[in-house]
Amino acid sequence: MKYPCMILQGDRAQGYMMSLAVSGASQHQHTGGKIIHRGSSTHATIVSKSLCHSGGISSYAGSINVERGATEAHTHVQCHTLLLDEHSKATSSPYLNVAMLDARIGHEASVSSLDESQMAYLASRGIDTAVARVLLVNGFVSDFVNELPMEYALELNRLILLEMNKSIG
């Protein structure tokens, strides 16, 4: 379980939260984030990505609180999950507690699986199914990986490859 919290105390405070979770066989990853707007003109963004394989489960629970006096608060939450098999599951549960009418709060969530047309295209180019899966997963997490320093991005790609190898046997 991971559930970081940011408190935007001062006026014009900003925060950015980025999260990646991978759940495999017999795993249930509980992820989320909590944002508390206390200052005026505050801005926060959460980007959460989850990969589920081998029957893994991912649950996102986000909490956005805009307190009285926190004028012009703005939060945008992105929660995206990629299911790699028919047994994996995902949920997203936003909780919003907004005390100011001028707040702008947005939550978007998507759950998808590997695109069969993309898999077919890669196969038509002679790319093995296992390699195609890894390419598509890397595409799914690319915006996340691009935010990391190079040495962390390389290590994350190695970890994803290791996890993908487990998911295909």
Side-chain angles (χ1 to χ4, degrees):
M1 178 175 192
K2 61 181 171 178
Y3 197 79
C5 175
M6 74 173 86
I7 301 171
L8 302 173
Q9 185 76 29
D11 293 346
R12 292 176 297 287
Q14 296 183 20
Y16 184 79
M17 216 180 275
M18 196 169 50
S19 171
L20 177 64
V22 179
S23 59
S26 302
Q27 291 181 326
H28 188 160
Q29 296 284 342
H30 292 276
T31 64
K34 183 174 186 174
I35 299 170
I36 301 170
H37 292 271
R38 290 190 176 150
S40 294
S41 301
T42 54
H43 185 274
T45 301
I46 296 177
V47 177
S48 176
K49 299 265 185 162
S50 297
L51 295 168
C52 299
H53 68 85
S54 307
I57 301 170
S58 174
S59 299
Y60 178 87
S63 175
I64 309 300
N65 295 293
V66 179
E67 296 181 353
R68 291 192 191 285
T71 59
E72 299 178 12
H74 178 248
T75 294
H76 183 76
V77 179
Q78 299 177 39
C79 179
H80 303 293
T81 302
L82 183 62
L83 303 178
L84 299 174
D85 62 62
E86 64 278 357
H87 303 292
S88 295
K89 298 176 185 173
T91 61
S92 179
S93 304
Y95 172 77
L96 308 174
N97 182 16
V98 181
M100 300 300 295
L101 294 176
D102 63 352
R104 293 182 302 149
I105 309 298
H107 176 92
E108 64 179 87
S110 69
V111 177
S112 59
S113 57
L114 291 177
D115 187 322
E116 291 303 320
S117 65
Q118 291 175 335
M119 291 290 290
Y121 175 80
L122 293 170
S124 75
R125 300 294 185 251
I127 297 175
D128 178 74
T129 301
V131 173
R133 285 171 57 92
V134 171
L135 287 173
L136 293 176
V137 168
N138 282 336
F140 175 75
V141 298
S142 65
D143 55 340
F144 179 89
V145 173
N146 291 339
E147 294 287 327
L148 298 174
M150 181 63 74
E151 59 273 12
Y152 294 121
L154 291 172
E155 189 61 27
L156 179 60
N157 283 333
R158 283 189 206 113
L159 290 171
I160 289 171
L161 183 58
L162 177 65
E163 197 66 31
M164 292 297 298
N165 285 337
K166 281 196 263 179
S167 76
I168 58 176

